[in-house]
């Protein structure tokens, strides 16, 4: 595990122990099997309760709701260690923590918190997050899903696409526009009439993860399942900021995984009578990878401090998600090359990570969207909006 | 039932161990350390006993400050409290010195059962459990692979080259854990957080002196590369002329 600038020395003894138990869990339960799960397109549902027992669900959720009340830094470390195994595994944990438990905690009523959070923390309940639609990805404000006010609640119609955990979820946190066109949040339970899901089976990325379409046909959602404190697009975007933060750490996990694997392979692999590590071209690749990894490690550690001290905003997270995932993808590609033909199999990890990074670079704000967020921050011009008269002058 | 578990901080099984330049120790800096794997079976066994029968579990080690890492891990696995018998160069101790420390702690704690690994992977003496049982006058069963805990006795299975033995043994007793006794569980994040709040007492103790000295550590010779031979005749020639066993 490359930690060239000894950043993990910043961790407290307990934080190091948490890192070590998660690392051990990944070595024992994930790495020996992940290649097969990925090939078969299976998410290991038998591990969901184990995640709960391990304390990986509800890491930052307060203890009174069944969580552990730990820091964002620990949440990041856990995401990193899990993604060392696979992005699909980390995605499951990210969704449960950041996209389901976080909105219920932040926007939910006290009754909703008490009803759902403890069971989400144990893994007894699985959640998913329905924001993206087939035609509304980077532009979620253009969503078509509607929530019509009726007596005692709302009726939902529409569909959500590319939803992690969709078909295995017991509850879905769904975002839809009300009669006034305001985005509202709803907790839709699996057995609500008119709610169905369909898995997307043809993925060649994140294969060890469930990705589904959520379909709402006149689904009645009672008033008690409406998130009372969520209003407007800002609410789901706040959730995404939390999840994107974990993804940035996940990218570091991929970087560490592919560098570890490539180095141990290159030491053993004999080419023209000497190990691959003896060649300058290979050494240059490793130097580049170590530099890349160290840069994103430094970045996420600093971001964790900003998050924990309440000084981070969504732009800081955008930069980290954008850089960590792109860097991890580039590192995985280099590692795959070092592994030669072996690198294209699931016996090794690099290409699986590389393929995963394609999805991870697209979900939770594409590379381009984060570029535009940063572009707006730097220039003051929101380039992703359709030409604004004031700015474009026409 | 009250159970006392002894553990030792040992180098990780995956670590590459190198001798120091003077050959009298191994390079410890930068080395990863774990709970001796056989001792981890003992820890898990104590946790299992407590969850089945109640009582109290105590873990102890003879070690330096860094050994608290291993004690904390045992606490994270579910042990109630820990005792560190302080010794800064514990790896130089003889089994009789460590056994003395365990016996002294046991005299104060009065456990019904003492469990430890059958051997530590760094010194391979297999001597500790017999020493402790002898010092305390406790019953002893070594290499336990399965135990049924009754109220006044326990049935202990041990495997030998001759087959399986089942012993019925009254408490108090010492058992040494063999692989297969249980499957140690990875501690949870909750376990780690709880462990932080559990008591860990540090004890100073004068250990009996022992006139022995480690003279030299020598690493095993590096494995030679594989040699592919063309024919059976070649094989016979190599076995005769090079290996000289024919």
């Amino acid at each position: 595990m490359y930690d060239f600038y000894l950043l993990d020395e910043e961790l407290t003894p307990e934080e190091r122990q948490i890192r070590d138990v998660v690392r051990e869990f990944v070595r024992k339960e994930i790495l020996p099997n992940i290649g097969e799960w990925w090939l078969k397109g299976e998410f290991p549902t038998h591990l969901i309760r184990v995640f709960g027992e391990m304390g990986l669900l509800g890491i930052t959720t307060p203890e009174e709701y069944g969580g552990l009340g730990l820091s964002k830094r620990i949440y990041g470390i856990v995401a990193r260690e899990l993604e060392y195994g696979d992005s699909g595994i980390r995605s499951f944990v990210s969704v449960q923590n950041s996209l389901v438990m976080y909105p219920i905690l932040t926007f939910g009523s006290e009754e909703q918190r008490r009803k759902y959070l403890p069971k989400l923390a144990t893994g007894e309940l699985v959640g998913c997050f329905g924001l993206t639609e087939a035609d509304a990805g980077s532009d979620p404000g253009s969503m078509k899903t509607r929530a019509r006010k009726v007596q005692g609640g709302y009726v939902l119609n529409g569909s959500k696409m590319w939803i992690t955990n969709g078909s295995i979820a017991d509850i879905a946190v769904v975002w839809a526009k009300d009669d006034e066109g305001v985005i509202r949040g709803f907790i839709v339970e699996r057995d609500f009439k008119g709610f169905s899901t369909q898995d997307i089976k043809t993925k060649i990325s994140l294969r060890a993860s469930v990705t589904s379409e959520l379909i709402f046909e006149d689904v009645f959602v009672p008033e008690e399942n409406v998130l009372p404190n969520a209003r407007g697009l800002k609410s789901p975007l706040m959730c995404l900021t939390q999840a994107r933060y974990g993804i940035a750490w996940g990218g570091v996990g991929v970087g560490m995984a592919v560098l570890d694997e490539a180095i141990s392979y290159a030491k053993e692999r004999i080419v023209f009578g000497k190990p691959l590590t003896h060649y300058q071209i290979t050494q240059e690749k490793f130097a580049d990878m170590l530099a890349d990894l160290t840069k994103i490690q430094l970045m996420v550690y600093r971001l964790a401090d900003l998050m924990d001290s309440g000084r981070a905003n969504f732009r800081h997270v955008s930069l980290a998600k954008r850089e960590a995932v792109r860097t991890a993808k580039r590192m995985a590609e280099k590692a795959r090359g070092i592994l030669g033909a072996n690198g294209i199999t699931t016996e090794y990890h690099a290409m699986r990570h590389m393929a995963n990074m394609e999805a991870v670079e697209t979900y939770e704000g594409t590379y381009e969207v984060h570029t535009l967020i940063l572009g707006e921050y730097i220039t003051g011009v929101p380039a992703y909006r359709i030409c604004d008269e004031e700015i474009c002058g026409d | 039932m009250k159970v006392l578990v002894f553990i030792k901080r040992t180098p990780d099984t995956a670590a590459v161990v190198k001798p120091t330049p003077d050959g009298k120790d191994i390079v410890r800096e930068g080395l990863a350390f774990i709970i001796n794997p056989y001792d981890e079976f003992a820890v898990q066994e104590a946790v299992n006993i407590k969850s089945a029968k109640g009582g109290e579990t105590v873990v102890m080690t003879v070690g330096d400050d860094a050994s608290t890492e291993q004690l904390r891990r045992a606490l994270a696995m579910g042990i109630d409290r820990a005792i560190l018998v302080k010794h800064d160069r514990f790896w130089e101790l003889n089994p009789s010195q460590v056994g003395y420390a365990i016996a002294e702690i046991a005299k104060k704690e009065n456990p019904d059962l003492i469990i430890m690994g059958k051997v530590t992977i760094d010194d391979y003496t297999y001597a500790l459990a017999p020493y402790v049982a002898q010092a305390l006058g406790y019953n002893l069963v070594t290499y336990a692979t399965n135990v049924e805990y009754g109220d006044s006795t326990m049935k202990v299975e041990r495997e030998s080259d001759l087959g399986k033995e089942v012993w019925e043994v009254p408490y108090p007793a010492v058992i040494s854990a063999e692989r297969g006794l249980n499957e140690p569980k990875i501690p949870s994040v909750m376990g780690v957080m709880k462990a932080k709040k559990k008591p860990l007492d540090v004890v100073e103790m004068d250990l009996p002196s022992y006139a022995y000295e480690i003279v030299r550590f020598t690493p095993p010779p590096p494995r030679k590369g594989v040699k592919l031979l063309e024919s059976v005749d070649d094989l016979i020639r190599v076995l005769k002329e090079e290996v000289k066993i024919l």
Side-chain angles (χ1 to χ4, degrees), chain B residues 9-63:
Chain B
R9 174 180 166 90
T10 58
D12 193 331
T13 45
V16 180
V17 177
K18 290 178 189 154
T20 51
D22 68 1
K24 288 184 182 299
D25 196 1
I26 54 167
V27 177
R28 291 173 188 275
E29 208 186 320
L31 206 57
F33 288 88
I34 56 171
I35 295 179
N36 171 47
Y38 292 100
D39 295 341
E40 203 166 51
F41 296 129
V43 172
Q44 187 64 52
E45 191 67 6
V47 172
N48 294 351
I49 292 169
K50 166 140 184 179
S51 73
K53 298 184 79 71
E56 191 191 11
T57 53
V58 183
V59 62
M60 70 167 288
T61 190
V62 180

Side-chain angles (χ1 to χ4, degrees), chain A residues 146-150 153-157 177-179 186 218:
Chain A
R146 288 292 180 272
R148 181 165 46 85
K149 184 78 186 89
V150 294
Y154 288 82
V155 169
L156 257 58
N157 274 291
K177 281 185 180 169
D178 67 11
D179 299 330
F186 303 87
D218 290 329

Side-chain angles (χ1 to χ4, degrees), chain A residues 2-226:
Chain A
Y2 281 83
D3 180 14
F4 191 53
Y5 277 16
L6 308 177
L7 289 161
D8 278 7
E9 285 188 3
E10 299 293 312
L11 301 176
T12 64
E14 288 74 36
E15 287 175 328
R16 264 201 292 277
Q17 267 196 306
I18 292 170
R19 172 200 67 188
D20 291 345
V21 297
V22 179
R23 190 172 283 183
E24 202 178 332
F25 171 76
V26 169
R27 297 283 184 288
K28 194 174 163 198
E29 303 288 345
I30 308 293
L31 289 178
N33 306 308
I34 186 65
E36 192 184 335
W37 295 332
W38 200 90
L39 267 188
K40 286 185 179 164
E42 283 176 7
F43 173 76
T45 49
H46 68 281
L47 288 180
I48 294 172
R49 294 304 290 265
V50 182
F51 294 147
E53 284 165 21
M54 286 287 295
L56 305 182
L57 311 175
I59 295 163
T60 57
T61 308
E63 289 178 70
E64 59 179 309
Y65 302 115
L68 290 169
L70 297 175
S71 66
K72 296 282 182 198
R73 181 157 79 175
I74 271 298
Y75 178 53
I77 295 279
V78 168
R80 179 188 81 185
E81 295 299 323
L82 290 175
E83 194 139 352
Y84 189 99
D86 190 76
S87 306
I89 306 296
R90 197 270 307 138
S91 293
F92 177 91
V93 172
S94 285
V95 168
Q96 189 91 339
N97 274 284
S98 294
L99 298 181
V100 180
M101 298 179 78
Y102 173 83
I104 293 174
L105 181 71
T106 309
F107 309 118
S109 65
E110 191 55 26
E111 292 71 33
Q112 289 168 346
R113 292 173 181 178
R114 300 221 173 267
K115 181 176 179 188
Y116 297 111
L117 293 178
K119 288 183 179 173
L120 288 161
T122 59
E124 197 178 330
L125 289 181
V126 172
C128 69
F129 179 86
L131 175 67
T132 297
E133 297 182 359
D135 295 320
S138 294
D139 178 18
S142 67
M143 67 171 66
K144 293 200 170 60
T145 301
R146 288 292 180 272
R148 181 165 46 85
K149 184 78 186 89
V150 294
Q151 196 178 2
Y154 288 82
V155 169
L156 257 58
N157 274 291
S159 65
K160 297 290 175 181
M161 195 63 170
W162 308 112
I163 308 305
T164 300
N165 299 349
S167 69
I168 57 169
D170 302 289
I171 62 168
V173 172
V174 178
W175 303 91
K177 281 185 180 169
D178 67 11
D179 299 330
E180 280 77 47
V182 176
I183 292 175
R184 307 286 305 271
F186 303 87
I187 303 171
V188 178
E189 296 184 11
R190 159 67 50 194
D191 56 3
F192 282 7
K193 197 160 170 265
F195 173 40
S196 61
T197 58
Q198 190 155 3
D199 282 344
I200 299 155
K201 289 283 189 191
T202 50
K203 290 178 296 171
I204 45 178
S205 175
L206 285 186
R207 287 189 56 76
S209 175
V210 174
T211 311
S212 320
E213 181 180 11
L214 311 182
I215 301 147
F216 307 94
E217 292 169 306
D218 290 329
V219 178
F220 173 71
V221 181
E223 195 67 52
E224 71 236 37
N225 279 42
V226 181

